[in-house]
Amino acid sequence: MRKKETKQFIPAARFHILTPLFDSLLSLFGLGKKYRDFVLKHIEITNPNAKVLDAGCGTGTLAMELLQKHPGIHFNGVDADEKILTIARKKTSKIKFSKAFLQKLPFEDDSFDIIYSSLVFHHIPSKDKVKSMKEIYRVLKSDGYFLLSDFGKPKNIFLAVFSWFTMFFEEGYDNYHGKIPLMLKEAGFHVEEVARYKFNLSLLKCGK
């Protein structure tokens, strides 16, 4: 069973051997602190005791920075990669990090006020993307929202190098061809693109 599961996801840095370097690689490729600040700016928290889920938390850096801004929130982070969760757990004990696939979340219905996912969905195979979105829809409260940040359909073809990479070497075909908003709607969400970042990164805010 374990061997089968390891084939169901692509590690955050593509190869397990690069996992310890994940944060440094993001910074090297222009997806470090400025990118995290961009995402954090769009995570609106009005309830100081909100329940928040980081869906595909990676090394936990973004989650930690959000918790620093809102220290009263109840925070969970999930990721399919146990190696990267080990790094996240070493950074903080204030966030509950759990191993889980997004298409099978270990939470009750209507558990979270806010769910966000950053640079994760281009790792998920097409057949599992909608399953993951439906699971996120299930555990999101009726008045909550889901914020998805990932590669979208390129508007600037000259800055699409990462989009090409994810399409040919990962699972970014749906991203490149603009199918992510359609998949979210299929899962039940109302979808709005609220911002764009460089490298054709699209920020989608999704409500029930």
Side-chain angles (χ1 to χ4, degrees), residues 1-10 16 80 99-101 103-104:
M1 175 64 74
R2 181 172 297 177
K3 184 177 181 180
K4 182 179 179 181
E5 284 188 351
T6 60
K7 293 182 179 181
Q8 292 179 341
F9 72 94
I10 298 173
H16 283 296
K99 181 179 179 180
F101 289 91
Q103 57 266 38
K104 193 174 182 180

Side-chain angles (χ1 to χ4, degrees), residues 63-104:
M64 287 178 59
E65 291 180 356
L66 180 60
L67 187 61
Q68 288 171 0
K69 291 181 63 177
H70 303 279
I73 60 178
H74 303 279
F75 218 139
N76 287 75
V78 296
D79 203 285
D81 188 346
E82 185 62 42
K83 291 185 178 181
I84 211 163
L85 285 173
T86 299
I87 297 173
R89 291 176 184 131
K90 288 179 180 179
K91 290 182 178 181
T92 180
S93 60
K94 296 180 180 179
I95 299 170
K96 184 178 179 180
F97 294 112
S98 305
K99 181 179 179 180
F101 289 91
L102 297 191
Q103 57 266 38
K104 193 174 182 180

Side-chain angles (χ1 to χ4, degrees), residues 24-32 162 198-199:
S24 297
L25 289 171
L26 284 181
S27 296
L28 178 65
F29 290 112
L31 294 171
F162 285 129
K198 58 186 178 180
F199 310 126

